[in-house]
């Protein structure tokens, strides 16, 4: 009620994950360029920055047919023979060129150009694609938005599990005694991480940038320290070795691709956080520090493995001298916590956007900062994420096993980005079909290749994100479909607002002092709460406002465009309140803006009337009975509209109605 559910879509979180500072004007922050680049290191690159912990190990194991005995990350690894030099060089070449093609060219060069008022992310592509195609042809875009959102939730539960596990597994190298406690320690870290979410992430965020800067410098330093072990690793710069590996080992190609993708997980964060940091600082951080540090570290690991094949059990930690392994484990754990924090708060941001755009029912959203709207905490999502993450840790037990579940969600989301980018570039930017195909198709082929490769892991763990995403898509589709059916049904019995106002003018009921605000999703029809107030209380306030809260397809709406007022009669007014998909509705604050337009508003003499629907299942609803019941369950789980629209509870009158769906 009072929420116009327009073109639902969802995305990876668009900016404002940590609310370092509220963006100004075009959506970019007013902080200095250097501060923004430092902030980007902490927030944007946490996920991809922790990939060296496991990516090369898993890829070489796949390339050589080695088995980790189901233990991975420091456990004994059985090699089927000596490590072939060409295989190691080929794997290094594949990882390097994946970083160049997927991260640098696709995201840093191309997609950072596609922004919506300065914001980026899958939701931005959905909004731009719908704008380019028009609402009537937006069905496929809606589905892609749902798929992108569902796959990101899969990423949001797997990233904390695999990142923290892979970091804590380094303790096995410090002392074998701790091997039996790795899962317990990882679980304790994850529980603590989720428990502190309610306190907000602003204070912690200030330390993220410096810690990740130190982390990337450490990655580069460890890599440089070992490159001299075998300078032949520089041959991997030539893509010939990567291509040759596929020709020499066609049977292993898909398995290797399924592990190479681990090196580029987190790439979509570059685009998703553009609104907060700006494309310039994000590009600079990648080109001048993150990319060189990752590349040098992978080269160092490759050189170490070529000179000492036994290092394959945990090449990352074996880059460090024995005395420095414990400090490296501690630093890696901090880095993985930061990577996890990014996707956790990203899940909150995504959930708020999905609610705003009608993909999910209203949930309780707590603001953890008085100054920054981006700092939010959603208790129900936090509990669900924690339980799912712990279930993954205790089910899969090691980062090696969990890596099988990782790639499908990541590259599924990347495929969605490529498909939406095709629509935006072709229809929105008005490039020719040939030019658009020439630019986007190579990236889509790479995404499809990685996604297909990860489908090989479907039975060994890949089913987790697939089932997770499928369940969420069903959930979101049920909510969208049920809401439309409900809207269509109630509309049949609705009374046109202007018709009702005309009747009340001719035969006015008893008047009471003050102002009444009736929330509705359809400003053209009389709200059910108004009809029931007249029917049962037989009174009408001196001034009556029919209020519709609408979600825009832009991230934020300027205060000057927030509220639109139109007069019907001297005692009836229509008000439309518009919020961007990155904002939380605040009805009293919105109404206060009307004072500048000469409209008198006093919260103490205003009553807010809301309709509370009691929904019953109907065999003739247009949905199967199970979907009816699921929709009814979702409506019951929705948080109170009073809290969602931030209306003072003492000023609210709720009127109940019953409807079948």
């Amino acid at each position: 009620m009072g929420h116009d559910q327009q073109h639902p879509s969802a995305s990876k979180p668009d900016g404002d994950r940590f609310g370092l500072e509220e963006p100004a004007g075009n959506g970019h922050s007013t902080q200095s360029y250097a501060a923004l680049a430092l902030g980007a290191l902490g927030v944007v690159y946490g996920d991809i920055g922790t990939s060296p912990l496991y990516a090369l190990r898993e890829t070489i194991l796949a390339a050589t047919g080695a088995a980790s005995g189901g233990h991975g990350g420091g456990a004994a690894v059985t090699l089927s023979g000596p490590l072939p030099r060409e295989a190691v060089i080929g794997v290094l070449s594949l990882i390097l060129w994946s970083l160049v093609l997927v991260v640098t060219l696709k995201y840093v060069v191309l997609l950072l150009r596609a922004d919506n008022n300065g914001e980026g992310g899958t939701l931005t592509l959905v909004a731009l694609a719908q704008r380019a195609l028009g609402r009537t042809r937006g069905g496929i875009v809606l589905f892609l938005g749902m798929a992108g959102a569902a796959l990101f939730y899969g990423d949001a539960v797997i990233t904390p599990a695999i990142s923290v596990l892979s970091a804590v597994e380094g303790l096995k190298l410090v002392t074998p005694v701790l091997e039996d406690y790795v899962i317990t320690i990882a679980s304790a870290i994850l529980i603590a991480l989720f428990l502190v979410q309610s306190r907000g992430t602003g204070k912690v965020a200030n330390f993220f940038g410096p810690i990740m800067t130190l982390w990337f410098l450490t990655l580069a330093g460890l890599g440089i320290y070992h490159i001299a072990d075998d300078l032949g690793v520089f041959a991997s710069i030539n893509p010939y070795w990567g291509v040759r590996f596929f020709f020499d080992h066609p049977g292993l190609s898909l398995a290797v691709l399924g592990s190479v993708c681990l090196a580029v997980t987190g790439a979509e964060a570059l685009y998703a956080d553009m609104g907060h940091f700006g494309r310039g600082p994000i590009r600079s951080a990648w080109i001048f520090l993150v990319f060189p540090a990752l590349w040098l570290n992978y080269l160092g690991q490759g050189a170490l493995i070529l000179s000492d094949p036994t290092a394959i059990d945990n090449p990352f930690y074996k880059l460090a001298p024995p005395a420095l392994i414990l400090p490296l484990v501690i630093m890696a754990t901090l880095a993985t916590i930061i990577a996890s924090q990014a996707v956790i708060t990203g899940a909150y941001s995504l959930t708020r956007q999905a609610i705003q755009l009608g993909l999910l029912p209203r949930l309780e959203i707590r603001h953890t900062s008085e100054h920054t709207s981006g700092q939010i905490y959603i208790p129900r999502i936090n509990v669900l994420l924690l339980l799912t993450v712990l279930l993954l840790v205790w089910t899969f037990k090691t980062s090696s096993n969990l890596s099988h579940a990782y790639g499908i969600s990541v590259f599924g989301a990347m495929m969605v980005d490529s498909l939406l980018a095709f629509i935006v570039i072709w229809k929105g930017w008005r490039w020719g079909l040939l030019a658009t195909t020439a630019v986007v198709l190579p990236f889509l082929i790479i995404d499809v290749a990685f996604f297909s490769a990860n489908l090989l892991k479907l039975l060994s763990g890949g089913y987790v994100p697939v089932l997770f995403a499928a369940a969420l898509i069903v959930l979101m589709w049920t909510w969208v479909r049920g809401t439309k059916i409900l809207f269509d049904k109630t509309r049949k019995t609705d009374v046109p607002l202007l018709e009702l106002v005309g009747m009340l003018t001719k035969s006015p009921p008893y008047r009471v002092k003050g102002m009444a605000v009736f929330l509705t999703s359809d400003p053209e029809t009389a709200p059910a709460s108004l009809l029931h107030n007249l029917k049962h209380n037989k009174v009408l306030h001196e001034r009556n406002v029919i209020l519709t809260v609408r979600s825009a397809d832009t991230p934020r709406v300027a205060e000057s465009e927030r509220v639109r007022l139109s007069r019907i009669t001297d005692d009836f007014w229509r008000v439309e309140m518009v919020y961007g998909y990155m904002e939380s509705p605040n009805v009293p604050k919105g109404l206060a803006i009307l004072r500048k337009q000469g409209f008198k508003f006093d919260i103490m003499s205003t009553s807010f009337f809301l309709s509370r629907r009691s929904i019953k299942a109907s065999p003739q609803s247009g949905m199967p009975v199970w979907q009816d019941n699921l929709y009814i369950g979702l409506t019951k789980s929705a948080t109170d509209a009073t809290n969602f629209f931030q209306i003072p509870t003492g000023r609210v009158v709720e009127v109940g109605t019953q409807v079948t769906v």
Side-chain angles (χ1 to χ4, degrees):
M1 78 200 76
H3 184 174
D4 188 12
Q5 287 149 343
Q6 290 194 330
H7 51 274
S9 47
S11 95
K12 189 94 167 145
D14 297 344
D16 265 353
R17 282 184 180 168
F18 299 96
L20 300 178
E21 189 171 320
E22 192 68 10
N26 63 353
H28 293 171
S29 175
T30 54
Q31 291 173 288
S32 72
Y33 194 93
L36 285 168
L38 187 66
L41 283 173
V43 178
V44 177
Y45 294 110
D47 194 352
I48 199 168
T50 52
S51 297
L53 284 164
Y54 46 81
L56 188 71
R57 177 189 77 212
E58 296 304 318
T59 311
I60 289 180
L61 290 180
T64 56
S68 61
H71 296 290
V77 174
T78 308
L79 294 171
S80 55
L83 284 172
R85 184 178 186 83
E86 293 78 10
V88 176
I89 300 294
V91 163
L92 284 172
S93 184
L94 287 170
I95 287 177
L96 167 64
W97 284 98
S98 295
L99 290 172
V100 170
L101 295 172
V102 176
V103 186
T104 310
L105 294 182
K106 179 182 172 182
Y107 281 96
V108 175
V109 174
L110 181 65
L111 286 186
L112 283 184
R113 292 186 58 207
D115 71 299
N116 186 2
N117 288 2
E119 295 288 347
T122 305
L123 180 53
T124 286
L125 287 174
V126 169
L128 293 173
Q130 285 190 322
R131 201 178 296 165
L133 288 176
R135 302 282 164 82
T136 54
R137 291 186 292 168
I140 184 66
V141 176
L142 167 64
F143 178 76
L144 287 173
M146 285 183 183
L151 289 163
F152 173 69
Y153 279 116
D155 189 16
V157 292
I158 296 172
T159 294
I162 191 172
S163 299
V164 174
L165 259 180
S166 61
V168 176
E169 280 166 353
L171 290 172
K172 298 176 186 178
L173 302 181
V174 178
T175 167
V177 177
L178 293 173
E179 181 165 351
D180 295 334
Y181 300 97
V182 165
I183 295 175
T184 306
I185 293 168
S187 301
I189 290 170
L190 288 164
I191 290 169
L193 176 63
F194 280 94
L195 285 178
V196 299
Q197 295 303 314
S198 60
R199 300 179 181 273
T201 55
K203 291 178 182 175
V204 186
N206 294 330
F207 300 104
F208 285 0
I211 289 173
M212 291 308 292
T213 303
L214 182 61
W215 171 252
F216 285 116
L217 291 173
T218 303
L219 289 183
L222 290 172
I224 292 168
Y225 180 64
H226 279 280
I227 284 176
D229 292 355
D230 194 320
L231 293 173
V233 291
F234 281 108
S236 61
I237 296 172
N238 188 342
Y240 162 79
W241 292 104
V243 175
R244 177 177 167 177
F245 178 85
F246 287 140
F247 280 105
D248 291 348
H249 308 278
L252 292 172
S253 297
L254 279 177
V256 169
L257 268 185
S259 296
V260 167
C261 76
L262 295 171
V264 295
T265 55
E268 68 278 17
L270 296 168
Y271 180 41
D273 284 299
M274 176 169 61
H276 198 90
F277 301 102
R279 64 169 65 90
I282 288 176
R283 281 177 173 162
S284 297
W286 172 256
I287 292 166
F288 296 112
L289 179 58
V290 180
F291 179 48
L294 291 173
W295 181 46
L296 288 168
N297 190 266
Y298 285 124
L299 287 179
Q301 287 189 49
L304 174 64
I305 291 166
L306 286 173
S307 63
D308 177 15
T310 62
I312 188 62
D313 60 352
N314 208 322
F316 175 80
Y317 282 115
K318 291 194 173 179
L319 289 175
L324 295 180
I325 288 179
L326 184 58
L328 186 60
V329 170
I330 293 169
M331 189 183 294
T333 303
L334 284 173
T336 55
I337 288 171
I338 290 169
S340 304
Q341 181 68 66
V343 293
I344 293 167
T345 48
Y348 301 153
S349 181
L350 171 65
T351 303
R352 177 169 70 171
Q353 293 161 33
I355 292 167
Q356 280 287 76
L357 295 162
L359 276 177
L360 292 173
R362 290 187 301 262
L363 298 173
E364 180 191 358
I365 297 175
R366 295 182 194 168
H367 292 260
T368 57
S369 169
E370 293 180 9
H371 310 290
T372 317
S373 65
Q375 281 191 46
I376 57 172
Y377 167 66
I378 304 178
R380 213 174 294 178
I381 296 297
N382 197 58
V383 171
L384 287 173
L385 288 178
L386 173 58
L387 293 177
T388 311
V389 168
L390 290 177
L391 182 66
L392 288 174
V393 168
W394 286 88
T395 302
F396 287 89
K397 300 187 186 308
T398 72
S399 60
S400 267
N401 294 340
L402 202 49
S403 69
H404 294 177
Y406 207 5
I408 289 179
S409 59
V410 172
F411 277 92
M414 286 190 180
M415 277 173 55
V416 169
D417 283 351
S418 293
L419 291 168
L420 289 170
F422 187 91
I423 297 170
V424 171
I425 294 170
W426 178 31
K427 294 291 188 181
W429 295 2
R430 302 193 182 282
W431 287 25
L433 182 60
L434 198 62
T436 306
T437 305
V439 169
V440 179
L441 189 60
F443 297 127
L444 185 58
I445 290 171
I446 293 169
D447 292 338
V448 170
F450 277 127
F451 184 74
S452 304
N454 278 284
L455 288 177
L456 290 180
K457 303 176 184 178
L458 196 62
L459 298 180
S460 61
Y463 61 86
V464 171
V466 171
L467 292 176
F468 202 66
L472 285 168
I473 288 172
V474 169
L475 203 73
M476 288 185 277
W477 179 242
T478 299
W479 182 253
V480 171
R481 196 175 172 197
T483 303
K484 186 179 186 305
I485 290 171
L486 193 64
F487 181 80
D488 292 341
K489 275 205 169 186
T490 53
R491 191 155 195 173
K492 290 176 185 175
T493 58
D494 282 339
V495 178
L497 179 63
L498 295 180
E499 188 179 306
L500 177 68
V501 171
M503 289 163 56
L504 293 173
T505 304
K506 289 176 184 174
S507 54
Y510 182 76
R511 297 288 181 139
V512 293
K513 289 186 176 181
M515 184 168 83
V517 177
F518 300 91
L519 272 78
T520 178
S521 59
D522 182 9
E524 298 301 321
T525 58
S529 53
L530 170 58
L531 295 172
H532 281 265
N533 185 47
L534 288 167
K535 180 180 176 182
H536 298 291
N537 297 329
K538 297 179 173 58
V539 296
L540 190 67
H541 284 69
E542 286 177 329
R543 298 160 74 228
N544 299 274
V545 171
I546 310 302
L547 174 63
T548 304
V549 181
R550 190 168 65 79
S551 180
D553 63 358
T554 52
R556 292 175 186 79
V557 173
E559 287 292 295
S560 58
E561 299 172 14
R562 173 84 63 217
V563 185
R564 294 168 195 159
L565 176 70
S566 61
R567 175 184 170 278
I568 301 172
T569 63
D570 287 339
D571 47 9
F572 269 94
W573 301 78
R574 267 201 199 104
V575 173
E576 183 183 65
M577 211 172 284
V578 187
Y579 287 89
Y581 56 71
M582 288 294 297
E583 300 174 306
S584 295
N586 188 319
V587 165
K589 274 189 180 178
L591 289 172
I593 296 171
L594 290 174
R595 291 176 187 150
K596 296 175 184 176
Q597 301 179 28
F599 187 81
K600 292 178 182 176
F601 169 68
D602 176 16
I603 189 73
M604 298 312 294
S605 62
T606 301
S607 298
F608 295 87
F609 287 80
L610 306 176
S611 299
R612 182 178 285 276
R613 289 181 179 134
S614 173
I615 304 171
K616 304 291 181 186
S618 165
Q620 290 85 32
S621 73
M623 288 197 299
V625 175
W626 68 266
Q627 208 168 11
D628 279 343
N629 291 324
L630 176 58
Y631 179 73
I632 291 167
L634 288 172
T635 59
K636 288 178 179 176
S637 73
T639 193
D640 192 65
T642 305
N643 295 330
F644 184 78
F645 293 114
Q646 301 181 57
I647 304 169
T649 50
R651 311 299 320 165
V652 174
V653 179
E654 288 194 344
V655 180
T657 58
Q658 185 169 308
V659 64
T660 58
V661 66

